[in-house]
Amino acid sequence: MKIVHCSDIHFGTEDPAIVRALESRIAEIEPDLIVASGDFTMAGRAREFAGASSLLRRLGEATGSPIVATPGNHDLPVYNLLARFVRPLGRYRRWMGAVSQRAFVDERVAVLSLNSARPWDFSLNWSNGRLSTKQILEADRFFAASADVPFRALVVHHPFHVPEALPGFRRIGRCDEMLDVLARRRVHAVLSGHLHLREVIARDMDIEADRWTVRLVQAGTATSVRERDGSERNSFNLLRVGRPGGLGAETDGVPTVAIEPQVWDGERFVVGDAAAGASG
Ligand SMILES: [Fe+2]
Ligand SMILES: [Fe+2]
């Protein structure tokens, strides 16, 4: 099974040539599922959402695959403060809700997305994002109900791990509480974005008398040319999930997961090197 994980497309700062290349590479991959982990726009403007929504609709039509999406901090209105506090997800729901879904479950995969973007926060930097008690309980229920599905993943915009090279960022609020739930429910991966930096971390967790590994998978920015220092090229992730017990799979019922970065080389997206910090 193939899952495309893209993030931070940031319409408003997108490069049209990269958008076209993204579409043709994803069509070529023929994914079974597309996951988009937030920051579809720069400032939550209607014209930015229109562009992002149109891209997702075209991707869905070209591949026939379902799309699971979640908002990022840039998808809340920046300039309309009334909308920001009264209906922060109004535009997101109108534009992105029409072309994506919050969750997807079939006989092979169960994916739940949760909104971690907040219009304000008691912390100094609301853009770091957080999870609520209600969301942690929702994840617990969702993954308990889908325990028999071979591959299970949570999608959120904000990261569960921040590399030391990015001192201004912090992990998503209530990260450890959610990780405990994910390990206990034997969830395989967290798919996120926000840092514009691709990374895969294998987080080993203790559960009762056992251990469980949750992969923390970060996607870079797929199409935005607004880069921190220009050193990270545009990219997205392709997850190849092997069938438990099938050819090339582990024998204990855990599916194999290979994460293949797709990196912009100036003309097209090509298979790149493993992400920095990759360990699983
Ligand atoms: Fe972003
Ligand atoms: Fe973000």
Side-chain angles (χ1 to χ4, degrees):
M1 182 181 56
K2 290 175 283 189
I3 302 172
V4 159
H5 168 213
C6 61
S7 200
D8 297 78
I9 63 176
H10 282 294
F11 265 69
T13 59
E14 85 285 7
D15 178 331
I18 302 180
V19 172
R20 284 193 297 273
L22 177 78
E23 287 186 68
S24 61
R25 180 66 187 128
I26 291 177
E28 204 174 270
I29 287 169
E30 297 182 330
D32 301 282
L33 174 68
I34 297 172
V35 167
S37 51
D39 276 1
F40 292 95
T41 75
M42 253 339 273
R45 294 181 185 95
R47 67 170 181 277
E48 296 170 347
F49 273 125
S53 177
S54 166
L55 170 62
L56 257 56
R57 185 175 36 74
R58 294 195 303 274
L59 287 174
E61 285 168 3
T63 60
S65 81
I67 300 176
V68 171
T70 195
N73 50 301
H74 279 265
D75 299 323
L76 310 181
V78 172
Y79 302 111
N80 183 339
L81 288 183
L82 184 66
R84 182 175 182 87
F85 292 99
V86 177
R87 289 185 68 235
L89 291 178
R91 271 190 184 153
Y92 174 86
R93 289 200 175 115
R94 180 173 151 223
W95 289 101
M96 309 315 293
V99 291
S100 66
Q101 49 202 79
R102 270 192 73 226
F104 178 78
V105 184
D106 71 3
E107 69 285 352
R108 297 172 299 172
V109 60
V111 173
L112 171 70
S113 77
L114 293 173
N115 167 29
S116 58
R118 298 289 179 267
W120 66 280
D121 200 320
F122 287 112
S123 68
L124 284 175
N125 189 351
W126 53 264
S127 72
N128 285 313
R130 62 184 295 106
L131 295 162
S132 66
T133 302
K134 195 174 156 205
Q135 289 174 317
I136 293 168
L137 292 173
E138 182 182 354
D140 191 36
R141 280 196 305 272
F142 179 89
F143 292 115
S146 55
D148 294 338
V149 179
F151 180 73
R152 299 180 298 286
L154 175 70
V155 181
V156 286
H157 178 61
H158 291 88
F160 278 59
H161 176 264
V162 175
E164 284 178 18
L166 297 177
F169 291 86
R170 66 170 167 78
R171 300 187 308 157
I172 189 170
R174 311 199 55 189
C175 180
D176 290 331
E177 286 165 77
M178 182 60 98
L179 268 176
D180 283 342
V181 166
L182 298 181
R184 189 159 43 79
R185 294 298 179 196
R186 296 175 187 261
V187 173
H188 302 92
V190 178
L191 308 180
S192 53
H194 184 63
L195 299 177
H196 297 200
L197 195 70
R198 61 194 170 91
E199 183 186 64
V200 182
I201 294 283
R203 175 61 50 85
D204 291 322
M205 306 280 297
D206 286 320
I207 42 165
E208 292 151 13
D210 203 355
R211 304 274 289 164
W212 182 256
T213 302
V214 182
R215 288 175 185 79
L216 307 180
V217 182
Q218 292 279 137
T221 166
T223 56
S224 172
V225 291
R226 171 185 164 268
E227 268 316 291
R228 201 161 285 108
D229 59 6
S231 61
E232 175 84 3
R233 287 180 292 162
N234 292 98
S235 65
F236 65 96
N237 293 322
L238 169 58
L239 280 72
R240 294 184 184 273
V241 181
R243 206 182 288 269
L247 192 64
E250 294 167 21
T251 52
D252 58 359
V254 179
T256 57
V257 183
I259 296 156
E260 195 179 86
Q262 309 288 310
V263 183
W264 172 248
D265 74 352
E267 282 182 24
R268 59 181 71 83
F269 282 92
V270 296
V271 178
D273 299 331
S279 52

